[in-house]
Amino acid sequence: MNVKGIIFDFGFTLFSFENPSVEKYFDCFKRGLLKSIDILKDKDILEEDDELVKDFINIFNKKRANSFRLAMKTKDEFPTTLLFRTVLTILKEKGYNINYDIIEDEFLEEMAELYHSCEESEWKPFDETKATLEALSNISSLKIGLISNHPNHKTIKNMLESNNLDQFFNVIVTSAKFGKRKPNPDIFLYTLKKMGLEKHEAKDCIMVGDEAADAVGANRVGMQIVLKKRDYEFPYEREITIPNIIEIKSINEVLNYIS
Ligand SMILES: [Mg+2]
């Protein structure tokens, strides 16, 4: 196949999360949230008040669960920065003494980054990821993109940068930045466009992912799907029933499908 563009998913496609479990995810987020709250205390935005911190954590977790459920249903992303802004606003409305007039975007970004920092250290590229991207980037006619469903753009950028992988991508798109999640076809079309490719060229492009959101979205815009088999099964995983899917076990096998 004369491939014009290839788009990768991030989690379990290029990067792996060691021994994933619901408990481990929750523990990571719990630790991250405490770091974010500490910075609010350091900057004297929050007072040392156990009741306030308890309320902060409760409201944050409730809002996070709600926004995640909503994001799954509507495919609209609810960024972590917005989550922090919402929680601070609610606490202020509840009458807590919270010292800010305007919350700067930069500050919300810093909190979101801290919140996801534990998760950030758990994701590691697969052994074959770098060599595969390097080989693909040597094909001058090929454009390389990434689409990740993640509520914080900076977290994905950080993980690519700290592993020296950002250099291989022409385009890096996250649902946090775009506003919609895979499998919404708009995020695929937007990424292709940013890669310099037209809608009708989608059929000459490959989407490499590990789950239904990748396959269904790519199929909607007419891309070829390469499914990377995962060692772990997700809870409530959707079955993929799209025909003509190429299945691979290791990421370097995508090289066999590019001429
Ligand atoms: Mg994935």
Side-chain angles (χ1 to χ4, degrees), residues 9 21 25 53 55 59 63 75 97 102 148 156 174 184 206:
D9 160 56
S21 67
Y25 274 113
V53 171
D55 237 7
I59 295 170
K63 284 278 159 195
K75 308 302 170 208
N97 184 20
I102 300 159
S148 176
I156 294 293
T174 59
N184 188 303
I206 291 177

Side-chain angles (χ1 to χ4, degrees), residues 73 121 195:
K73 205 172 143 196
S121 55
M195 288 160 74

Side-chain angles (χ1 to χ4, degrees), residues 162-221:
S162 59
N163 290 286
N164 275 319
L165 298 175
D166 56 312
Q167 53 172 323
F168 300 119
F169 294 94
N170 298 101
V171 177
I172 295 165
V173 174
T174 59
S175 53
K177 209 143 202 195
F178 182 68
K180 291 193 185 305
R181 295 167 60 89
K182 296 175 283 188
N184 188 303
D186 293 347
I187 194 165
F188 291 84
L189 293 173
Y190 171 79
T191 307
L192 288 169
K193 199 174 173 190
K194 284 199 71 159
M195 288 160 74
L197 295 162
E198 300 288 334
K199 209 172 172 176
H200 68 87
E201 292 174 296
K203 63 178 189 323
D204 304 317
C205 296
I206 291 177
M207 175 69 205
V208 191
D210 68 298
E211 63 175 310
D214 302 306
V216 171
N219 185 54
R220 282 179 184 160
V221 300

Side-chain angles (χ1 to χ4, degrees), residues 97-119:
N97 184 20
I98 295 170
N99 305 314
Y100 72 86
D101 293 320
I102 300 159
I103 319 170
E104 307 270 349
D105 284 349
E106 263 170 51
F107 184 55
L108 290 168
E109 280 163 20
E110 196 180 336
M111 277 194 283
E113 208 175 341
L114 281 170
Y115 176 64
H116 291 285
S117 59
C118 169
E119 175 199 3

